[in-house]
């Protein structure tokens, strides 16, 4: 869906509130034909899409990702008490928002989520007896790098490696499968800006209901 179509649908959503009125103190200045509501929609639209991308089920993200399967993976051997494991490392892209999917040859499944170094599960990855292995691999982010637990036999052969980037300011196209969520999230942000909290709460409930239907 194009940016302008999303903006039109956000305006229509706001007009459902019989009708939505812009506060008098925010009237457009003389000579400016763009109402402040549209300006604010423009200002928050990209941030709103990031908010959607962070919470939506990963299967809904069909095109908004970067394929980095050609990444260089540094593999380090970790030997402890006779156990030999190999941990992979790769630099985090500057525009990283969320992991989409990663799988190395030998892993039994795709990984779609990451843990941070302050997650209680991270301590388990630092322990060779409890860290993720090929049956239940784990991906962590620490100190600007991905950490992969564990790399089978020290051979980091990537089968899938994709991430979701932060939305570029002024993006002109958004995935159709995410458009309805985007319209709601943007309308919520506009209402909150105008301190229309009750109306924003109403749309939040609609947003959560829609998100739940896609999560089942």
């Amino acid at each position: 869906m194009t940016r302008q179509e999303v903006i039109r649908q956000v305006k229509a959503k706001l007009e459902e509130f019989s009708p939505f009125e812009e506060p008098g103190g925010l009237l457009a200045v003389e000579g400016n034909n763009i109402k402040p509501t549209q300006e604010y929609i423009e200002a928050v639209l990209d941030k709103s899409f990031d908010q959607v991308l962070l919470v939506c089920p990963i299967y809904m993200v069909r095109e908004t990702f970067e394929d980095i399967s050609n990444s260089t993976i540094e593999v380090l051997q970790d030997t402890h008490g006779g156990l030999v494991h190999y941990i992979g490392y790769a630099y985090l892209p500057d525009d990283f928002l969320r992991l989409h999917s990663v799988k190395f040859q030998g892993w039994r499944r795709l990984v779609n989520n990451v843990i941070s170094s302050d997650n209680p599960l991270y301590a388990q990855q630092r322990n060779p007896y409890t860290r993720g292995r090929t049956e239940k691999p784990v991906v962590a982010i620490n100190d600007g790098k991905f950490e992969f637990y564990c790399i089978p036999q020290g051979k980091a052969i990537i089968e899938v490696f994709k991430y979701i980037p932060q939305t570029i300011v002024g993006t002109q196209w958004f995935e159709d499968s995410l458009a309805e969520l985007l319209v709601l999230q943007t309308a919520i942000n506009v209402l909150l800006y105008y301190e229309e909290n009750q109306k924003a709460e109403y749309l939040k409930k609609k947003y959560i209901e829609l998100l739940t239907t896609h999560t089942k």
Side-chain angles (χ1 to χ4, degrees), residues 129-141:
Y129 296 98
T130 58
R131 66 178 42 145
R133 304 185 187 181
T134 56
E135 297 81 7
K136 294 182 179 180
V138 173
V139 180
I141 291 178

Side-chain angles (χ1 to χ4, degrees), residues 144-162:
K145 290 183 179 181
F146 290 107
E147 298 179 355
F148 307 102
Y149 299 89
C150 290
I151 303 298
Q153 301 176 345
K155 299 178 181 178
I157 302 175
I158 300 172
E159 294 185 351
V160 179
F161 195 6
K162 303 173 183 176

Side-chain angles (χ1 to χ4, degrees), residues 41-111:
I41 292 172
E42 287 275 10
V44 302
L45 186 53
D46 305 307
K47 169 192 169 184
S48 298
F49 195 46
D50 279 350
Q51 289 175 288
V52 170
L53 289 169
L54 282 169
V55 299
C56 70
I58 204 68
Y59 78 85
M60 296 181 69
V61 186
R62 301 165 187 163
E63 299 177 55
T64 310
F65 60 75
E66 296 290 337
D67 190 332
I68 52 173
S69 299
N70 61 347
S71 296
T72 298
I73 308 297
E74 180 185 12
V75 181
L76 299 180
Q77 179 176 313
D78 182 36
T79 303
H80 184 89
L83 293 176
V84 179
H85 290 151
Y86 297 92
I87 305 170
Y89 298 88
Y91 283 104
L92 198 69
D94 292 338
D95 61 348
F96 177 83
L97 180 69
R98 179 184 178 186
L99 181 67
H100 185 282
S101 49
V102 61
K103 185 178 184 293
F104 288 90
Q105 188 176 93
W107 280 12
R108 299 292 181 86
R109 63 177 180 86
L110 281 167
V111 176

